[in-house]
């Protein structure tokens, strides 16, 4: 499957007002591309991983889930091992970049 259309990266957004200031306006987005949510998880400034009991499946009915919060507001649910592996990849990317400024 291709990238999710859930997120859109763009370089410029402007508001349009409609014909001669009448009617409904809208927004024009320029130089845009669809962005896979995985890129947000791997490259954004901070990601926290929690295991809240309220999102866990009933015992014996599936693997534990994690809640990944990106930059304090975007949230994704993922299987425990997926979240753990994403955290490891983030750490390795940070080390390869040669900085410790990214949050864990």
């Amino acid at each position: 499957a291709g990238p999710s259309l859930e997120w859109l990266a763009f370089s410029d957004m402007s508001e349009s007002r409609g014909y001669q200031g009448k009617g409904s306006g809208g927004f024009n987005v320029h130089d845009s591309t669809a962005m896979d949510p995985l890129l947000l998880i791997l490259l954004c400034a901070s990601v926290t991983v929690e295991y809240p009991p309220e999102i866990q499946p009933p015992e014996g009915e599936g693997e534990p889930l994690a809640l990944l919060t990106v930059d304090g507001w975007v949230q994704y649910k993922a299987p425990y091992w997926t979240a753990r592996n994403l955290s490891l990849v983030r750490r390795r990317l940070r080390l390869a970049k040669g900085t410790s400024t990214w949050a864990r």
Side-chain angles (χ1 to χ4, degrees):
S4 168
L5 296 179
E6 197 173 327
W7 291 98
L8 189 67
F10 57 88
S11 67
D12 182 48
M13 181 170 65
S14 58
E15 186 175 1
S16 61
R17 303 218 182 257
Y19 182 68
Q20 294 182 346
K22 300 177 184 173
S24 62
F27 291 93
N28 297 316
V29 176
H30 304 279
D31 300 324
S32 63
T33 188
M35 201 170 130
D36 193 310
L38 181 60
L39 292 175
L40 289 177
I41 293 169
L42 291 176
L43 301 175
C44 280
S46 69
V47 174
T48 58
V49 181
E50 300 172 304
Y51 308 95
E54 60 269 12
I55 69 166
Q56 301 307 317
E59 195 166 328
E61 292 188 23
E63 68 180 290
L65 295 174
L67 183 66
L68 294 96
T69 304
V70 179
D71 286 343
W73 65 282
V74 180
Q75 294 185 325
Y76 292 100
K77 279 192 256 183
Y80 170 84
W81 287 106
T82 299
R84 203 168 146 87
N85 288 333
L86 287 171
S87 294
L88 178 63
V89 171
R90 276 182 56 85
R91 268 192 216 108
R92 289 183 177 172
L93 285 170
R94 193 172 61 247
L95 289 172
K97 184 180 175 193
T99 181
S100 61
T101 57
W102 288 358
R104 292 178 186 226

